[in-house]
Amino acid sequence: MIDAVVFDLDGVIIDSEELWDEVREGLARERGGRWSEQAQADMMGMSSTEWSRYMHEVVGLPEGPDEINREVVRRMLVRYSEHLPLIDGAIDGVKRVAEHWPLGVASSSNRELIDHVLELSGLAPHFKVTVSSEEVERRQAGA
C-alpha cells in the first residue's frame, strides 16, 4: 500500500543539472579555480555542504565554502527566475499523483531553491513536506 509519494526535484521536476554545471563552472572560472569535467561529475548529487567544500578544496576557489554556497544559490535563483527548466509533463504528473496521495520532495538542492522552484511552478500547494539534504544529518550505512 502506498502512503505517500516523494519526488526528487532535479531531474524529475526540473532539468537542472546542466544549469548547476554552468553556474558552478562560471564561478570557478571567474574566481581562478581549476575547473574540469571530473569536477562536474564529482559534484553530481552532493549536498550544498559537500559541493561548496569541494569547490574550495579541490577546484581551488579562494572563498570559504559558505560564501561559495551563497553565491551559487544566488545565481541559481536568478537563473530560475529568468527561465524555470521544467521537465515536460512534470506539472501534470505531480497534479495527477497529488489527487491520490500526499506528496513530498526530497532533494540535494538548497532549501531556497526548492521553495523557489515550487512557487514559480505553482506546485507548492501540492506538497505536504519538502526536505533538502542540507537539513539532514548524514549517516553511514549500518549506523
Side-chain angles (χ1 to χ4, degrees), residues 39-97:
Q40 177 179 333
D42 288 348
M43 286 188 282
M44 189 174 293
M46 284 185 178
S47 70
S48 60
T49 303
E50 294 166 329
W51 60 251
S52 58
R53 185 172 48 244
Y54 182 97
M55 289 189 71
H56 175 70
E57 294 174 359
V58 178
V59 177
L61 272 65
E63 298 84 3
D66 289 342
E67 188 175 335
I68 293 166
N69 182 44
R70 281 191 299 275
E71 181 59 19
V72 169
V73 169
R74 185 192 71 73
R75 291 177 186 208
M76 290 294 291
L77 289 168
V78 168
R79 297 287 294 271
Y80 284 161
S81 293
E82 293 170 350
H83 171 73
L84 190 62
L86 288 165
I87 290 178
D88 289 341
I91 290 178
D92 290 336
V94 167
K95 288 179 179 179
R96 279 185 281 144
V97 174

Side-chain angles (χ1 to χ4, degrees), residues 4-140:
V5 175
V6 179
F7 286 82
D8 192 355
L9 187 71
D10 302 284
V12 176
I13 295 175
I14 57 172
D15 186 11
S16 59
E17 211 54 56
E18 187 174 307
L19 187 55
W20 275 104
D21 295 339
E22 287 175 16
V23 167
R24 290 189 290 217
E25 180 179 359
L27 182 64
R29 293 192 188 285
E30 287 171 24
R31 307 281 167 90
R34 300 172 302 278
W35 187 258
S36 69
E37 293 301 315
Q38 186 61 47
Q40 177 179 333
D42 288 348
M43 286 188 282
M44 189 174 293
M46 284 185 178
S47 70
S48 60
T49 303
E50 294 166 329
W51 60 251
S52 58
R53 185 172 48 244
Y54 182 97
M55 289 189 71
H56 175 70
E57 294 174 359
V58 178
V59 177
L61 272 65
E63 298 84 3
D66 289 342
E67 188 175 335
I68 293 166
N69 182 44
R70 281 191 299 275
E71 181 59 19
V72 169
V73 169
R74 185 192 71 73
R75 291 177 186 208
M76 290 294 291
L77 289 168
V78 168
R79 297 287 294 271
Y80 284 161
S81 293
E82 293 170 350
H83 171 73
L84 190 62
L86 288 165
I87 290 178
D88 289 341
I91 290 178
D92 290 336
V94 167
K95 288 179 179 179
R96 279 185 281 144
V97 174
E99 292 173 0
H100 303 284
W101 298 284
L103 303 184
V105 168
S107 177
S108 291
S109 282
N110 301 63
R111 162 61 49 206
E112 302 98 322
L113 296 174
I114 295 168
D115 293 345
H116 194 60
V117 166
L118 295 180
E119 286 300 323
L120 286 175
S121 66
L123 292 175
H126 298 285
F127 290 93
K128 305 282 188 222
V129 177
T130 61
V131 66
S132 167
S133 64
E134 66 186 349
E135 300 164 339
V136 178
E137 192 174 321
R138 188 174 197 160
R139 297 187 152 226
Q140 295 288 353

